[in-house]
Amino acid sequence: MIYRIPARIIRRQLGQFIGVITIVAIASFSHSLLTIGVNALEEGYAAFASDYKQETAHFITVHGAPEAKLERKYKVEIEERQVLEVEWEDKALRVFTPTQHVNLACALAGKSVPSRGEILLDPLFAKANGYALGDSFRIGNRTYKVAGFIYMPDYIYITRYDQDIINNPLEFGIGLMDKRDMVWHSTEPYRYYVIGGPLSDVRGFKEDLEACGLVSFVEKKENPRITTTEMKLAGTKAVITPITLMMTLISSFLTFTVLGRLINSLRVEIGTLMALGYRRGEIARTFLYIPLFIWIVGASLGTAMGFLLTKPFVQLYVEYFNIPLVAPVFPTRQLLEAFFLPGIFIFSGSLFALRELFAKEPLALLRGSEGNSGSSAAYFLQLDGLSFPKRVMLRHGLSRMWRNLVLVVGVACSTFLLIYGFTAERTLQGMVNQTFSSTFNYDYMYVLSSNQRGKKFPSAEGFNLRTLYDSNGRNVVLYGIQKGSNMVSLRNLDGLAPDLSGIALAKPLAAKLKAAKGDVIELNDKLNDKPIRFRVSDVVELRIGNYAFIDLEEFNRVFELPRGSYRGLFSPTELRIDESLVFMRQDKAYIASTFENMMAPVKQSLAVISAISLMLALSIANVLSTLSLNENRRTIGILKIFGFRDGEIVFMTLGFERICFYIGMLLGIPLFNRLVNLLMASVAEQSDFALEFEADPVGILWAFGVLAVLYHVVQRLLRNRVYRMSGAELLKERTD
Amino acid sequence: MFLEVAGLKRIYTVGKTTVAALDGVDFGVEKGAFVVVLGPSGSGKSTLINIIGGIDRADAGRVVVEGQDIARLDAKGLTEYRRNSVGFVFQFYNLVSSLTAYENVLATAYLSRGSFDAGVILDLVGMSDKKNKFPFELSGGEQQRVAIARAVVKNPKLLLCDEPTGALDYDNAKKVLGLLEKVNRELGTTVLLITHNTAIARMAHVVIRLRSGRVVERVDNPTPIASEQVVW
Ligand SMILES: Nc1ncnc2c1ncn2[C@@H]1O[C@H](COP(=O)(O)OP(=O)(O)OP(=O)(O)O)[C@@H](O)[C@H]1O
Ligand SMILES: [Mg+2]
């Protein structure tokens, strides 16, 4: 007969159960949505790289390489492909011939192998420049038909030059065309080879190539067009995962405690059944239907919602990372996790509570007393000076310290997430501004094709740069800049001009190299692999990039260049330089704007996180308050009969929780300042950004404002509920 | 001896003070007896009956029911004891609020193989017309009648009643007493009843008087009066 009890209890307190179910749903939802997105991406990329035979290295030689001989010797696949650099206006398209064994093209639409007279384009370039399938594309005086949009496994992050940190699909893209077409445009033998399969003896391989005039050899791990994306993937995962984990933990912790309280509120009924002689097993089996119900409904809803929203979310990521989804990703593991994880906490919370009840004498339960779980602090307090409602409120609240602590922690964590959501966007913006407006003062940067001396452009400033790499193959871009440079204004961590007598590292770089001021580090010159030892003379307040800086003359000395020579120019205005002298040019405004675009999916994720955490905070407040009202029905009935007003009753029974809510909100700030930078340190290690978060007043105000307004609404609803309770009915419910 | 209590002690400690709710209680009763426990408020009546019923624990002493010392039982043993031997009637009814009157009775009928038919018992307490109502839809007297039906339906050896009439008016109280008498006389159930009302003591076979946790008087009454004749 008692099997009917759970359903009746749920029906009777439906409002409260909906609240708890919401929390469970949020836990499942946030877990599935965020982890599915990140994992789909990771798996998608891995599948793309292996299915489409991403290269292990590529090299360029002056004369033809003995492919067959090398393939046999090193047990790898080598394929030659031809390259044509098509330039017009300010744009450039790098066109390759298709390959059969390494770096296969993956078609987003149309063909993946071009026929004669056809050209295939990368989707970013096509989108930015408005090319559709079937459009014509002119190269010289010939016209090609755009027959497909393709992804290439060796050009995931599509940049024109190795040292570019930002891709610019408007100005640069890649394409594929038939070999016979390519020969028509250029007869120049440009020997570009790709290697597939693991290559163990890189050194030997390179030596064997010396004879055919090796120009460059780039392994996959030092190819920024591959590693940039891999790093960004890791960085995204690093930002999302801990936050997801945190949300899952908070909501799980909540379901744990809420279920405990829920079961606890049924103590009289459980006690009665025990007194009647029901066995614990029988009682447990009956009452566990309640958590079972909450779990099944909440987790199904949350997981289903997460799954439905996964598609657009993954789509967003995929576009951003420029990775094709080669196989449909069905996130079985994440969905199962999202479904079962809350279950674990729900049942353990319930079982703990039941166990605690079972440990007591039935009599203690029948009395409906809290036993001695209430804090004795409440009894020692001198409350004489206070008004009666305040006294009741304090006593009431202090005797329930533990559960109020849950509220404080829950609200603090939610506030943390909300501040994060409201601050992150401006922090990212600030980082971009700080880098591109206050640090790099130039608007144009030119890298020339040969070393220069003397001052040819009065407004411009000479600099030198060299790409280095560390023992892990990580690139470091070293700038030699002039003393007291006007174009690059650096500040060290103390806000002073940095010491450039050795190298000064940008913050994220220092984190990655684990180097501090005064250390000596060894980096290799990318040109000739020569190891060079540098003394780290400072760390500079620059939050993007793998940059290092050194005094220009020191640079020239280290690299044995003539005094006063330079290779690049920073300029506040566009320079009229003969195109043939320019190796590369960069427009800063454009870089800054692309950079902001790059942040779009991170911002999107943050918005989702904020929204979820808001729901979470409110569910916590709502559920805990409702529980309180239910647990205090009798007191409320008596107070009502005494003639207290609804507002006073809410104040007495829930006033302390309101205080706890606000305390939780306030604690959110130091929690934020502590935790967020721990989190960001791990991000800096894995990406080229060093985000520095500070809970700024605007973000805090927003977070507090939103929380306070919505909490007010919750309290209003509770007051209405108190209003609807009838004193007589409440007293009749008395069972003890 | 059906029930034997010896040297029973129960000591509560609140802060630094200790209260001996039971301070060495001894008595015994035969099977089928109607026992009334009297005593001023705070004398330990509820404590005594709760320990006999196996929902509270003794600090010292024995409670032997049909040769079994229940003070020695662990929680599991106590559950089985309650399940098989004890019927409880509480002062404040303690019906399961999410079950109807009929379902409340069914809920204990289920516990024992020797149970009576729930419908018949509800009829016996005069509640069959309201059997589908929930506890909060019933008056106090009605709830108590359902509670008695619930306690009796499983045909317990021992029926324990803690002030079953305490919250009832005269007529309802008389009805409840009549029911308990019927159960005692017709089913041979041993009944232990706590009350403040000395008038009720006249229908008992045994009257035990408690004061400050001790038995101060025991009266055996070979000729108890019928419940209808009890007046106050
Ligand atoms: N949980 C408890 N903690 C502390 N003291 C208790 C507890 N329960 C009972 N007492 C004390 O034990 C003594 C006996 O209580 P008990 O409830 O048995 O009295 P009673 O005879 O049933 O009184 P009444 O007629 O008022 O119901 C009282 O002094 C009471 O204060
Ligand atoms: Mg009592």
Side-chain angles (χ1 to χ4, degrees):
Chain A
M1 189 37 59
I2 58 171
Y3 67 88
R4 292 200 181 157
I5 294 176
R8 297 255 171 87
I9 289 177
I10 291 169
R11 212 173 311 148
R12 196 175 58 195
Q13 303 174 8
L14 200 59
Q16 173 179 326
F17 279 90
I18 290 174
V20 182
I21 286 171
T22 311
I23 295 183
V24 177
I26 291 174
S28 289
F29 175 69
S30 62
H31 187 84
S32 58
L33 182 64
L34 295 168
T35 53
I36 287 172
V38 173
N39 282 289
L41 209 61
E42 231 178 19
E43 284 168 25
Y45 172 69
F48 176 49
S50 76
D51 293 0
Y52 289 81
K53 314 267 190 274
Q54 189 177 59
E55 68 182 29
T56 44
H58 66 259
F59 59 92
I60 299 168
T61 51
V62 180
H63 313 291
E67 287 176 53
K69 205 178 108 200
L70 288 168
E71 278 186 343
R72 251 177 286 119
K73 182 169 175 191
Y74 292 97
K75 298 194 174 48
V76 289
E77 286 187 290
I78 301 176
E79 244 184 302
E80 181 180 3
R81 74 176 167 184
Q82 258 143 13
V83 190
L84 174 70
E85 197 98 349
V86 187
E87 296 185 19
W88 73 102
E89 295 164 19
D90 57 348
K91 299 179 196 295
L93 185 73
R94 190 167 293 161
V95 189
F96 297 97
T97 53
T99 40
Q100 264 125 45
H101 305 291
V102 188
N103 291 339
L104 310 182
C106 170
L108 171 68
K111 294 180 159 187
S112 62
V113 180
S115 310
R116 262 194 107 152
E118 289 177 343
I119 190 163
L120 311 180
L121 298 174
D122 84 69
L124 292 179
F125 179 80
K127 193 175 170 193
N129 290 287
Y131 287 107
L133 283 184
D135 283 1
S136 50
F137 189 94
R138 276 193 82 76
I139 299 178
N141 48 11
R142 295 188 107 192
T143 313
Y144 295 90
K145 187 172 142 235
V146 176
F149 298 131
I150 43 110
Y151 294 101
M152 294 295 292
D154 62 329
Y155 266 78
I156 301 166
Y157 193 61
I158 302 174
T159 52
R160 187 165 185 189
Y161 304 105
D162 280 0
Q163 60 270 46
D164 288 357
I165 46 166
I166 303 293
N167 65 338
N168 182 348
L170 194 63
E171 294 185 358
F172 180 76
I174 56 164
L176 277 186
M177 67 161 48
D178 192 86
K179 196 165 180 177
R180 287 159 293 185
D181 287 329
M182 181 159 311
V183 174
W184 200 90
H185 288 284
S186 147
T187 48
E188 202 180 322
Y190 186 61
R191 308 219 180 252
Y192 186 118
Y193 296 90
V194 289
I195 307 176
L199 178 61
S200 44
D201 184 11
V202 176
R203 187 179 284 269
F205 194 93
K206 278 181 173 174
E207 273 165 18
D208 286 352
L209 284 174
E210 287 305 336
C212 31
L214 181 62
V215 176
S216 86
F217 185 98
V218 179
E219 282 183 80
K220 178 182 150 184
K221 67 169 192 274
E222 50 184 28
N223 182 348
R225 294 178 185 107
I226 294 172
T227 54
T228 308
T229 299
E230 288 181 351
M231 250 155 49
K232 275 201 287 186
L233 262 172
T236 307
K237 197 173 178 189
V239 181
I240 304 273
T241 312
I243 298 242
T244 315
L245 207 69
M246 196 163 150
M247 303 237 288
T248 312
L249 281 182
I250 297 171
S251 34
S252 302
F253 175 61
L254 266 174
T255 45
F256 180 88
T257 46
V258 165
L259 258 295
R261 280 178 70 169
L262 201 76
I263 295 287
N264 210 32
S265 73
L266 302 171
R267 50 170 49 228
V268 176
E269 290 189 322
I270 290 174
T272 305
L273 292 179
M274 278 167 82
L276 292 178
Y278 272 90
R279 299 193 188 101
R280 288 161 182 198
E282 291 166 331
I283 297 174
R285 243 174 288 136
T286 304
F287 281 85
L288 283 179
Y289 275 109
I290 292 176
L292 182 74
F293 173 78
I294 291 173
W295 172 49
I296 298 286
V297 176
S300 317
L301 275 177
T303 312
M305 248 164 46
F307 183 62
L308 287 182
L309 275 183
T310 299
K311 222 174 164 185
F313 214 67
V314 170
Q315 200 53 44
L316 181 86
Y317 275 131
V318 162
E319 267 172 39
Y320 161 59
F321 285 103
N322 197 37
I323 294 169
L325 278 184
V326 292
V329 180
F330 192 82
T332 321
R333 192 174 63 86
Q334 286 79 20
L335 286 178
L336 286 179
E337 264 175 26
F339 187 76
F340 282 102
L341 209 64
I344 295 172
F345 289 91
I346 289 172
F347 281 105
S348 52
S350 310
L351 285 174
F352 262 113
L354 273 179
R355 240 184 49 152
E356 208 177 301
L357 292 188
F358 285 156
K360 294 205 170 96
E361 300 302 327
L363 183 64
L365 301 181
L366 282 176
R367 287 214 171 109
S369 72
E370 288 287 290
N372 39 16
S373 65
S375 149
S376 47
Y379 299 99
F380 296 119
L381 265 190
Q382 276 309 129
L383 297 170
D384 295 343
L386 296 171
S387 68
F388 176 72
K390 279 200 185 117
R391 240 189 284 179
V392 173
M393 183 269 278
L394 282 177
R395 242 187 238 298
H396 189 85
L398 289 176
S399 62
R400 286 161 181 76
M401 239 14 208
W402 167 243
R403 51 185 63 176
N404 283 319
L405 208 64
V406 172
L407 181 66
V408 171
V409 172
V411 172
C413 291
S414 296
T415 311
F416 164 88
L417 292 173
L418 263 186
I419 298 181
Y420 185 77
F422 282 117
T423 318
E425 188 161 349
R426 248 164 317 106
T427 305
L428 292 175
Q429 192 69 50
M431 177 179 79
V432 172
N433 288 347
Q434 186 246 14
T435 311
F436 292 106
S437 333
S438 22
T439 306
F440 296 132
N441 300 323
Y442 62 88
D443 283 317
Y444 298 90
M445 174 176 114
Y446 300 85
V447 178
L448 308 170
S449 24
S450 63
N451 274 325
Q452 307 286 316
R453 297 187 74 169
K455 220 167 168 67
K456 299 196 178 80
F457 299 94
S459 64
E461 198 178 284
F463 71 93
N464 253 325
L465 100 167
R466 192 65 69 101
T467 308
L468 310 166
Y469 64 92
D470 76 347
S471 52
N472 295 321
R474 262 191 291 245
N475 278 357
V476 175
V477 180
L478 178 66
Y479 283 88
I481 59 172
Q482 287 184 2
K483 260 197 183 61
S485 166
N486 291 319
M487 294 291 119
V488 180
S489 11
L490 299 171
R491 288 270 166 276
N492 67 14
L493 300 183
D494 301 323
L496 305 170
D499 175 3
L500 294 181
S501 60
I503 60 172
L505 304 175
K507 240 176 160 176
L509 185 60
K512 267 195 282 190
L513 299 177
K514 295 195 171 60
K517 194 170 165 170
D519 291 356
V520 172
I521 55 174
E522 189 176 278
L523 298 169
N524 304 287
D525 189 341
K526 207 138 193 209
L527 275 188
N528 50 20
D529 297 327
K530 220 174 81 182
I532 308 170
R533 291 169 73 81
F534 291 97
R535 181 176 55 86
V536 178
S537 57
D538 225 333
V539 174
V540 295
E541 195 49 77
L542 182 66
R543 299 180 190 167
I544 304 179
N546 43 2
Y547 302 121
F549 302 88
I550 191 167
D551 184 74
L552 181 58
E553 285 318 314
E554 187 63 19
F555 183 101
N556 290 343
R557 195 187 60 75
V558 171
F559 294 98
E560 293 159 1
L561 298 167
R563 281 184 66 87
S565 71
Y566 57 90
R567 181 81 187 271
L569 286 169
F570 292 129
S571 167
T573 54
E574 207 165 348
L575 298 178
R576 314 189 134 273
I577 318 179
D578 184 7
E579 283 294 333
S580 66
L581 294 177
V582 177
F583 174 67
M584 169 188 138
R585 39 176 281 166
Q586 261 183 11
D587 176 344
K588 195 187 71 177
Y590 188 78
I591 294 176
S593 76
T594 3
F595 205 90
E596 278 173 37
N597 290 341
M598 214 172 85
M599 292 290 176
V602 175
K603 285 184 192 168
Q604 212 99 352
S605 311
L606 289 177
V608 172
I609 288 170
S610 310
I612 298 178
S613 55
L614 192 65
M615 288 193 327
L616 199 59
L618 288 173
S619 310
I620 298 170
N622 184 29
V623 167
L624 293 186
S625 306
T626 312
L627 268 171
S628 261
L629 278 191
N630 275 337
E631 285 165 357
N632 296 296
R633 297 170 84 83
R634 248 172 65 65
T635 320
I636 292 172
I638 293 166
L639 291 172
K640 266 199 131 159
I641 288 163
F642 284 175
F644 283 95
R645 293 185 205 98
D646 296 334
E648 287 169 325
I649 294 176
V650 170
F651 173 78
M652 284 188 269
T653 47
L654 298 177
F656 201 80
E657 300 197 351
R658 184 191 308 208
I659 295 176
C660 289
F661 191 91
Y662 291 125
I663 292 178
M665 260 165 67
L666 287 177
L667 284 181
I669 304 173
L671 183 74
F672 181 83
N673 286 338
R674 285 257 143 152
L675 272 187
V676 85
N677 288 321
L678 275 181
L679 221 127
M680 288 307 135
S682 80
V683 176
E685 260 190 38
Q686 296 174 59
S687 68
D688 279 341
F689 317 128
L691 291 179
E692 238 169 55
F693 280 88
E694 184 80 1
D696 71 81
V698 187
I700 293 172
L701 271 180
W702 264 106
F704 278 19
V706 171
L707 272 176
V709 166
L710 290 171
Y711 185 58
H712 187 75
V713 173
V714 169
Q715 292 258 317
R716 262 262 103 95
L717 293 176
L718 287 175
R719 188 185 291 204
N720 285 343
R721 212 174 293 169
V722 170
Y723 173 74
R724 274 186 276 111
M725 290 175 161
S726 121
E729 295 253 305
L730 289 174
L731 277 191
K732 238 183 141 183
E733 269 183 22
R734 149 170 212 172
T735 40
D736 135 63
Chain B
M1 201 70 69
F2 173 71
L3 166 68
E4 194 188 346
V5 176
L8 196 62
K9 286 196 181 184
R10 179 70 164 106
I11 290 143
Y12 289 110
T13 315
V14 178
K16 282 179 189 139
T17 59
T18 55
V19 179
L22 296 179
D23 196 11
V25 172
D26 305 280
F27 71 91
V29 293
E30 293 299 341
K31 191 170 175 63
F34 195 112
V35 184
V36 165
V37 181
L38 289 174
S41 186
S43 56
K45 304 183 296 293
S46 296
T47 309
L48 174 66
I49 211 169
N50 287 338
I51 293 174
I52 294 175
I55 61 171
D56 197 2
R57 293 188 156 277
D59 291 315
R62 285 183 296 141
V63 177
V64 181
V65 178
E66 285 196 315
Q68 185 184 31
D69 183 1
I70 61 154
R72 286 247 161 84
L73 293 176
D74 60 359
K76 218 179 204 151
L78 280 177
T79 301
E80 293 308 312
Y81 162 69
R82 289 198 299 271
R83 190 181 177 99
N84 300 321
S85 312
V86 182
F88 249 111
V89 179
F90 306 97
Q91 184 176 1
F92 295 108
Y93 335 128
N94 271 330
L95 295 178
V96 177
S97 60
S98 42
L99 296 180
T100 62
Y102 181 61
E103 288 166 350
N104 261 286
V105 179
L106 269 189
T108 53
Y110 155 87
L111 290 174
S112 173
R113 244 183 249 118
S115 290
F116 303 115
D117 182 78
V120 171
I121 296 289
L122 264 180
D123 208 26
L124 188 79
V125 298
M127 287 299 297
S128 26
D129 51 332
K130 294 189 172 161
K131 64 185 215 176
N132 289 324
K133 293 207 183 287
F134 283 96
F136 64 89
E137 296 171 313
L138 299 174
S139 77
E142 289 165 343
Q143 287 191 50
Q144 193 61 304
R145 270 142 65 193
V146 175
I148 291 173
R150 180 178 68 176
V152 166
V153 72
K154 67 176 184 185
N155 193 12
K157 292 179 200 141
L158 193 54
L159 182 60
L160 304 172
C161 313
D162 192 346
E163 298 195 43
T165 59
L168 302 179
D169 66 12
Y170 183 77
D171 288 341
N172 273 307
K174 292 270 294 200
K175 269 188 207 155
V176 164
L177 289 178
L179 278 172
L180 294 175
E181 179 184 49
K182 206 160 158 184
V183 170
N184 174 250
R185 308 279 139 92
E186 288 174 17
L187 304 176
T189 311
T190 311
V191 176
L192 234 81
L193 183 145
I194 290 179
T195 182
H196 274 117
N197 190 339
T198 37
I200 295 174
R202 295 180 58 209
M203 62 182 278
H205 299 117
V206 181
V207 178
I208 289 167
R209 230 177 247 281
L210 287 185
R211 183 170 301 139
S212 306
R214 288 179 187 207
V215 179
V216 289
E217 184 189 22
R218 175 198 169 121
V219 181
D220 284 65
N221 177 11
T223 55
I225 61 170
S227 66
E228 296 101 85
Q229 292 166 304
V230 175
V231 281
W232 63 88

